[in-house]
């Protein structure tokens, strides 16, 4: 009986060790990808800040008459939802998908998905999709966002959609990732509170503020979408690294407990054998 129990424990130890090797490897891969992803995040933020500052300065004068302004009646909403292409990343995917679902309540929604998990989630729930882009995040370049942005901007200009939201995960730090949902269009383009008291610089726009505003909106959206994808990818790698590190630690603790159980079972088996030998020798002697 003890021998059978020991075999089961040894089998479990081997199984957990194999799992631990996988989680350790995934942790190392995620750490490597995270370093590159953090660099892309740091490089993308200055571009976004510069173009957002430019669009904020001219939006007050030109927003009202723009084709990118507010539609009279909101009938259809578009949600661009960015999730990962793989699982095993803790709550990374579920957090952003849950937030998107909450924001969609009560709206007539179309979706544009980036990431395999986002695509699978909304296709299973019967949402109308205008485009799916799995496997894009890791190698995305800003030029590759043009096709995506031009597609939904054309629909916005034709009033096929009346408002556009972007749901993604912001990379705050290697330990913190925050799911966010922001409205892209129509947007108020408000300046940060710290800058509201500053006197605006005197700027002339050629040929007009309206024309510049019309031209800069697509550039702004290219930058926002690229930045959101980069932030989400960095968040995914960070979440996966933490999840795999925790799984490896749990596996190590489980192996220690199984080894302890194995040693106890082995000790019990030896004790039983000694008892049987002593009992047998006593019967022979009598």
């Amino acid at each position: 009986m003890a021998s059978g129990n020991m075999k089961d424990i040894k089998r479990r130890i081997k199984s957990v060790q194999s799992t631990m090797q996988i989680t350790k490897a995934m942790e190392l891969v995620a750490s490597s990808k995270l370093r590159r992803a953090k660099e892309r995040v740091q490089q993308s933020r200055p571009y976004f800040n510069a173009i957002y500052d430019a669009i904020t300065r001219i939006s007050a004068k030109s927003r009202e008459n723009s084709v990118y302004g507010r539609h009279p009646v909101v009938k259809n909403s578009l949600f661009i939802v960015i999730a990962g292409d793989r699982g095993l990343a803790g709550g990374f995917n579920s957090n952003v998908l849950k937030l998107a679902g909450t924001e969609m309540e009560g709206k007539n929604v179309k979706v544009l998905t980036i990431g395999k998990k986002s695509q699978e989630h909304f296709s299973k729930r019967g949402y109308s999709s205008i485009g799916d882009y799995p496997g894009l995040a890791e190698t995305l370049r800003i030029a590759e966002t043009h096709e995506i942005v031009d597609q939904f901007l054309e629909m916005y200009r034709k009033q096929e959609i009346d408002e556009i939201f972007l749901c993604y995960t912001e990379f705050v730090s290697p330990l913190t990732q925050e799911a966010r949902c922001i409205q892209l269009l129509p947007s108020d383009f408000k300046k940060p509170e710290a800058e509201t008291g500053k006197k605006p610089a005197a700027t002339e726009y050629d040929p007009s503020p309206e024309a510049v505003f019309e031209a800069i909106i697509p550039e702004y959206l290219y930058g926002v979408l690229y930045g959101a994808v980069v932030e989400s990818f960095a968040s995914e790698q960070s979440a996966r690294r933490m999840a795999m590190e925790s799984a490896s630690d749990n596996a190590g603790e489980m192996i220690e407990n199984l080894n302890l159980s194995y040693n106890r079972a082995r000790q019990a088996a030896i004790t039983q054998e000694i008892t049987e030998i002593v009992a047998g020798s006593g019967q022979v002697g009598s």
Side-chain angles (χ1 to χ4, degrees), residues 140-195:
L140 180 71
R141 297 182 178 181
I142 195 165
E144 295 171 4
T145 64
H146 293 195
E147 177 186 348
I148 304 172
V149 172
D150 293 345
Q151 178 187 2
F152 65 72
L153 274 185
E154 182 66 20
M155 295 179 70
Y156 188 83
R157 287 192 291 264
K158 292 179 178 178
Q159 298 191 13
E160 295 175 8
I161 51 177
D162 304 296
E163 57 182 4
I164 302 171
F165 295 87
L166 174 64
C167 299
Y168 69 103
T169 306
E170 182 181 9
F171 179 78
V172 180
S173 73
L175 299 177
T176 308
Q177 305 85 42
E178 182 180 349
R180 296 190 62 196
C181 198
I182 61 174
Q183 185 169 339
L184 296 182
L185 288 176
S187 178
D188 293 332
F189 298 110
K190 293 180 179 179
K191 286 190 175 183
E193 293 182 5
E195 298 181 9

Side-chain angles (χ1 to χ4, degrees), residues 130-267:
I130 69 167
D132 300 305
Y133 298 90
L136 191 72
E138 185 171 359
T139 59
L140 180 71
R141 297 182 178 181
I142 195 165
E144 295 171 4
T145 64
H146 293 195
E147 177 186 348
I148 304 172
V149 172
D150 293 345
Q151 178 187 2
F152 65 72
L153 274 185
E154 182 66 20
M155 295 179 70
Y156 188 83
R157 287 192 291 264
K158 292 179 178 178
Q159 298 191 13
E160 295 175 8
I161 51 177
D162 304 296
E163 57 182 4
I164 302 171
F165 295 87
L166 174 64
C167 299
Y168 69 103
T169 306
E170 182 181 9
F171 179 78
V172 180
S173 73
L175 299 177
T176 308
Q177 305 85 42
E178 182 180 349
R180 296 190 62 196
C181 198
I182 61 174
Q183 185 169 339
L184 296 182
L185 288 176
S187 178
D188 293 332
F189 298 110
K190 293 180 179 179
K191 286 190 175 183
E193 293 182 5
E195 298 181 9
T196 52
K198 295 181 180 180
K199 186 177 180 181
T203 307
E204 292 185 7
Y205 299 99
D206 185 29
S208 66
E210 291 78 9
V212 175
F213 185 77
E214 297 283 340
I216 205 173
I217 279 286
E219 297 294 333
Y220 161 72
L221 293 175
Y222 299 151
V224 171
L225 182 60
Y226 175 77
V229 172
V230 167
E231 295 261 358
S232 291
F233 183 73
S235 298
E236 178 185 2
Q237 300 310 313
S238 182
R240 181 170 291 113
R241 184 189 64 78
M242 288 192 297
M244 292 302 99
E245 182 180 7
S246 177
S248 297
D249 291 342
N250 291 338
E253 185 177 336
M254 188 178 296
I255 289 171
E256 287 182 10
N257 293 333
L258 287 171
N259 280 326
L260 184 61
S261 298
Y262 177 80
N263 291 333
R264 286 175 177 171
R266 185 166 173 266
Q267 185 177 7

Side-chain angles (χ1 to χ4, degrees), residues 13-219:
I13 290 174
K14 277 190 174 183
S15 175
V16 175
Q17 285 175 337
S18 298
T19 302
M20 188 175 179
Q21 288 178 346
I22 295 171
T23 57
K24 278 288 187 183
M26 292 184 67
E27 179 186 345
L28 292 173
V29 170
S31 298
S32 176
K33 289 184 176 181
L34 177 60
R35 284 193 293 270
R36 296 194 298 269
K38 283 170 65 177
E39 291 175 2
R40 293 172 70 198
V41 168
Q42 292 167 354
Q43 291 168 0
S44 68
R45 284 176 176 171
Y47 173 79
F48 168 76
N49 292 336
I51 200 165
Y52 187 83
D53 183 60
I55 204 169
T56 299
R57 289 198 299 268
I58 63 175
S59 62
K61 299 179 181 179
S62 53
R63 187 173 63 241
E64 298 301 326
N65 299 323
S66 172
V67 294
Y68 300 118
R70 195 174 299 277
H71 291 172
V73 179
V74 176
K75 296 179 181 179
N76 300 308
S77 303
L78 173 67
F79 278 77
I80 304 165
V81 185
I82 305 172
D85 291 301
R86 299 177 182 85
L88 299 177
F92 168 75
N93 289 310
S94 60
N95 289 343
V96 70
L97 294 174
K98 183 178 179 181
L99 175 63
T102 301
E103 295 291 334
M104 290 175 179
E105 290 180 1
K107 299 178 183 289
N108 187 22
V109 172
K110 298 179 186 294
V111 295
L112 187 154
T113 64
I114 298 176
K116 187 176 181 181
K117 292 299 179 181
S118 180
Q119 178 186 6
E120 291 174 351
H121 177 85
F122 291 106
S123 63
K124 288 178 182 177
R125 287 158 178 77
Y127 282 88
S128 174
S129 175
I130 69 167
D132 300 305
Y133 298 90
L136 191 72
E138 185 171 359
T139 59
L140 180 71
R141 297 182 178 181
I142 195 165
E144 295 171 4
T145 64
H146 293 195
E147 177 186 348
I148 304 172
V149 172
D150 293 345
Q151 178 187 2
F152 65 72
L153 274 185
E154 182 66 20
M155 295 179 70
Y156 188 83
R157 287 192 291 264
K158 292 179 178 178
Q159 298 191 13
E160 295 175 8
I161 51 177
D162 304 296
E163 57 182 4
I164 302 171
F165 295 87
L166 174 64
C167 299
Y168 69 103
T169 306
E170 182 181 9
F171 179 78
V172 180
S173 73
L175 299 177
T176 308
Q177 305 85 42
E178 182 180 349
R180 296 190 62 196
C181 198
I182 61 174
Q183 185 169 339
L184 296 182
L185 288 176
S187 178
D188 293 332
F189 298 110
K190 293 180 179 179
K191 286 190 175 183
E193 293 182 5
E195 298 181 9
T196 52
K198 295 181 180 180
K199 186 177 180 181
T203 307
E204 292 185 7
Y205 299 99
D206 185 29
S208 66
E210 291 78 9
V212 175
F213 185 77
E214 297 283 340
I216 205 173
I217 279 286
E219 297 294 333

